[in-house]
């Protein structure tokens, strides 16, 4: 057998071996996990995609955290850079979820004192807004104002429990002060899995994901 024929035969054999796995993967990636009422896209100071991801992560993470620790998570924040693809209007598949969140980022719960929480709020302001949930903020005159967490004004004298990605929790995006934070809890949840679980929950209830902005972060006075 010539070298070229041998190479062709080996390629055909390899393809025959991997074809069932590729087919199974394609079938899994095409599974429908939910629907949307409109496209979900990144933007600042808030975007429909960031709002959805933060809301989904907070909802799923809070259910896990409450069950294990009997405590609530106060708010969630992430970064737009971690959202790699928008979500289309209509049917959403597993493939869409993996394209949105291709990284293996874990959700991390961190309890911070008021002064460190203030640094997180300042980070959000300096970025011109990032994906958040449980938090509302007005960006005005070089500072953030009217900042509320779970509907209550920010209180620099109390502790707050937040969630974010392990990338940010470990100091990514210049969040060096989080890298040294002592009170971190890993709840064995990937951010992508939180998104998929939320989609599936809403689909089981017959509810599409609403595409909307609610001025959780806005420019104003």
């Amino acid at each position: 057998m010539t070298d070229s024929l041998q190479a062709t035969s080996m390629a055909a054999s390899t393809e025959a071996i991997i074809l069932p796995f590729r087919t199974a993967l394609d079938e899994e990636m095409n599974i429908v996990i939910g629907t949307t009422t409109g496209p979900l896209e990144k933007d600042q100071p808030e975007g429909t995609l960031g709002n959805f991801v933060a809301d989904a992560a907070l909802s799923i993470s809070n259910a896990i955290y409450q069950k294990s620790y009997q405590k609530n998570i106060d708010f969630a924040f992430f970064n737009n850079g971690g959202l790699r693809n928008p979500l289309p209007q209509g049917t959403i598949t597993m493939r869409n979820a993996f394209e949105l969140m291709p990284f293996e980022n874990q959700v991390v719960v961190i309890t911070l004192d008021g002064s460190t929480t203030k640094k997180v709020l300042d980070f959000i302001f300096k970025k011109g807004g990032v994906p958040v949930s449980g938090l509302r903020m007005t960006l005005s005159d070089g500072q953030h104002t009217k900042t509320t967490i779970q509907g209550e004004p920010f209180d620099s004298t109390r502790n707050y429990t937040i969630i974010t990605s392990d990338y940010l929790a470990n100091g990514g995006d210049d969040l060096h002060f989080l890298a040294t934070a002592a009170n971190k809890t890993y709840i064995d949840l990937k951010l992508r899995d939180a998104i998929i679980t939320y989609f599936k929950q809403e689909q089981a209830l017959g509810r599409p994901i609403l595409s909307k902005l609610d001025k959780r972060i806005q420019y104003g006075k």
Side-chain angles (χ1 to χ4, degrees):
M1 182 181 293
T2 66
D3 289 346
S4 61
L5 288 176
Q6 186 175 19
T8 300
S9 177
M10 290 179 61
S13 298
T14 302
E15 177 62 21
I17 292 171
I18 66 175
L19 180 59
F21 298 99
R22 180 186 295 128
T23 300
L25 180 60
D26 284 342
E27 289 176 354
E28 183 178 358
M29 289 294 100
N30 290 330
I31 292 173
V32 175
I33 58 174
T35 59
T36 63
T37 61
L40 302 180
E41 300 175 331
K42 292 193 294 186
D43 204 352
Q44 288 181 293
E46 64 169 328
T48 51
L49 184 62
N51 285 1
F52 161 69
V53 168
D55 287 347
L58 182 58
S59 175
I60 301 303
S61 300
N62 204 37
I64 295 171
Y65 194 69
Q66 283 179 331
K67 185 175 181 180
S68 298
Y69 299 95
Q70 291 74 54
K71 296 179 181 179
N72 287 319
I73 298 167
D74 294 303
F75 71 93
F77 85 99
F78 300 97
N79 63 329
N80 274 313
L83 310 180
R84 308 306 288 188
N85 246 33
L87 293 176
Q89 178 177 352
T91 300
I92 302 298
T93 64
M94 289 283 284
R95 189 183 310 279
N96 294 130
F98 273 79
E99 290 172 345
L100 162 64
M101 189 67 57
F103 311 113
E104 299 299 301
N105 288 129
Q106 297 281 334
V107 173
V108 183
V109 183
I110 316 175
T111 299
L112 302 172
D113 61 23
S115 63
T116 309
T117 302
K118 174 67 161 50
K119 292 180 181 179
V120 172
L121 301 178
D122 292 343
F123 165 83
I124 295 170
F125 165 74
K126 290 175 183 176
K127 287 290 183 180
V130 301
V132 300
S133 182
L135 169 71
R136 302 186 73 86
M137 176 187 295
T138 298
L139 312 181
S140 174
D141 297 329
Q143 61 183 329
H144 54 88
T145 62
K146 303 177 183 177
T147 302
T148 61
I149 298 172
Q150 293 298 334
E152 297 294 329
F154 168 65
D155 182 354
S156 62
T157 67
R158 58 157 289 187
N159 293 343
Y160 287 95
T161 300
I162 70 172
I163 60 164
T164 190
S165 67
D166 56 352
Y167 169 71
L168 297 179
N170 292 324
D173 214 354
D174 295 324
L175 286 165
H176 307 298
F177 59 89
L178 289 185
T180 57
N183 197 343
K184 294 180 183 177
T185 303
Y186 289 78
I187 57 174
D188 193 25
L189 177 68
K190 292 179 182 178
L191 184 52
R192 180 177 58 240
D193 290 341
I195 294 166
I196 292 170
T197 299
Y198 189 82
F199 260 121
K200 289 181 174 180
Q201 285 185 359
E202 294 302 289
Q203 179 178 238
L205 294 170
R207 297 193 300 227
I209 300 301
L210 301 178
S211 172
K212 64 178 183 178
L213 302 175
D214 59 13
K215 297 183 178 180
R216 62 186 67 183
I217 299 184
Q218 61 179 317
Y219 290 102
K221 296 294 184 182

